[in-house]
Amino acid sequence: MDYKDLQAFAAICHHFHLGRAAQQLHMSASTLSRRLARMEEEAGARLIDRDANPLQLTHAGALFRQHAEQTLSDWQQLRSAVSTQASDLSGTLTLFCTVTASYSFLVDLLARFRERYPKVELRIHTGDAADAISRVQRRAADVAIAARPDALPEDLSFKTMAPSPLLFIAPRGLVNVPQLSQADIDWSQVPMVLSESGLGRTRVDRWFAARNITPNIYAQVAGNEAIVSMVALGVGVGVVPELVLRNSPMASRVRVLTVEPELEPFAVGLCAPTDQLQQPLLQALWKTARL
């Protein structure tokens, strides 16, 4: 069992709600539930009563919480004791990410990074997720927060920070997309709002191709955030990463569709040129990021 497991358990104990704890940890509730099950298997006892609302600790869980809190406290003291030399690191790093990633991941990442390396300046550039990998390859950014592509270029390295399922979303009202009211949905007739390019578009195109369906594309947009807005307006069905939907102000105006098989989830994390990873500033950010 590692520190990440103990941090996950501490988050569960803070919220006593898997969904809210998962949001804090930037992971899906199902991923957190599997991590909890693994901890219980390693501990040899049930730690959380999942039938209770809110969740409750078992006797073993209360003992495990004490162990987790003490271990994490000792770890933090050790990190503080050895951070003096690291705090002298200085310079500038350019990071590229989407607007969603800037408040989904950067708040936590920057807080930890600035605590350890207060003299390092991070310059943040935001834009379309589809541009993230190419920005790093062109050296227009030192590092990017991006979704790992199906085939990572050989000259790049990737460090996963969190998974994000890829979801079909629809307007709340059936009247806007009446095709969805059918028992057997004819996907060739459903108006789709899709990204112009990028990993999400590649995966949804593959989903349609595997079923020999030509999608009825109503609109193609740059940026996943715009897809949520257009779906909320009722123009069609969209496909977006869960983290985009979770942080969208329009989230309450759309619903997630149950579609089988599910699209392959994104792995979101840091991407940087492999030959630059030994640079002190980039190495410091790389080590600060965590799943």
Side-chain angles (χ1 to χ4, degrees):
M1 197 171 301
D2 60 23
Y3 292 111
K4 294 175 184 176
D5 287 335
L6 299 182
Q7 289 164 345
F9 191 77
I12 295 172
C13 293
H14 176 73
H15 295 283
F16 286 104
H17 188 282
L18 284 179
R20 288 193 287 272
Q23 186 172 2
Q24 175 188 323
L25 296 164
H26 303 302
M27 65 177 64
S28 66
S30 59
T31 298
L32 181 57
S33 180
R34 289 193 296 272
R35 177 166 277 186
L36 174 59
R38 187 177 71 242
M39 283 187 276
E40 290 179 323
E41 181 179 354
E42 292 184 15
R46 192 180 186 190
L47 304 176
I48 297 287
D49 182 358
R50 295 171 177 78
D51 297 328
N53 187 17
L55 302 178
Q56 291 183 2
L57 292 171
T58 63
H59 176 68
L63 295 175
F64 189 83
R65 181 181 188 177
Q66 294 176 12
H67 164 72
E69 291 177 346
Q70 184 61 53
T71 301
L72 291 172
S73 176
D74 291 344
W75 172 237
Q76 184 59 47
Q77 290 179 27
L78 175 62
R79 287 172 56 193
S80 297
V82 300
S83 65
T84 302
Q85 183 176 356
S87 66
D88 292 333
L89 196 63
S90 63
T92 302
L93 271 178
T94 300
L95 183 147
F96 177 85
C97 63
T98 64
V99 173
T100 296
S102 71
Y103 48 74
S104 297
F105 294 98
L106 279 186
V107 173
D108 181 53
L109 178 60
L110 288 182
R112 287 183 281 114
F113 187 76
R114 189 159 295 280
E115 177 186 357
R116 300 178 192 180
Y117 311 101
K119 298 179 182 179
V120 177
E121 176 188 358
L122 270 179
R123 294 177 179 172
I124 311 299
H125 297 171
T126 59
D128 187 357
D131 295 334
I133 300 298
S134 64
R135 285 278 189 122
V136 175
Q137 283 191 298
R138 300 194 318 265
R139 307 298 171 102
D142 298 309
V143 61
I145 295 178
R148 183 188 179 97
D150 291 329
L152 184 69
E154 293 183 358
D155 58 337
L156 300 182
S157 292
F158 192 91
K159 181 173 185 177
T160 299
M161 295 170 62
S164 182
L166 197 56
L167 308 173
F168 281 78
I169 59 172
R172 282 285 180 185
L174 286 176
V175 65
N176 294 308
V177 189
Q179 297 88 345
L180 298 179
S181 62
Q182 302 170 359
D184 188 12
I185 298 174
D186 182 358
W187 283 99
S188 67
Q189 299 300 312
V190 176
M192 299 296 301
V193 182
L194 302 176
S195 300
E196 290 179 329
S197 59
L199 184 59
R201 179 58 185 269
T202 298
R203 289 187 177 170
V204 74
D205 283 348
R206 189 184 301 155
W207 189 90
F208 278 112
R211 286 151 190 77
N212 295 315
I213 298 172
T214 300
N216 173 23
I217 300 178
Y218 175 85
Q220 301 181 78
V221 300
N224 290 304
E225 293 83 1
I227 294 178
V228 182
S229 297
M230 293 191 70
V231 172
L233 290 173
V235 302
V237 170
V239 176
V240 297
E242 181 189 49
L243 71 90
V244 172
L245 180 61
R246 188 171 66 228
N247 290 282
S248 173
M250 296 290 182
S252 63
R253 297 177 59 180
V254 304
R255 58 194 174 95
V256 176
L257 298 178
T258 300
V259 176
E260 294 293 340
E262 296 179 348
L263 292 166
E264 183 181 351
F266 281 1
V268 181
L270 294 181
C271 182
T274 301
D275 63 5
Q276 297 297 308
L277 283 183
Q278 297 308 310
Q279 295 293 330
L281 299 186
L282 186 54
Q283 189 177 67
L285 182 67
W286 206 260
K287 290 180 177 179
T288 302
R290 64 191 181 200
L291 178 62

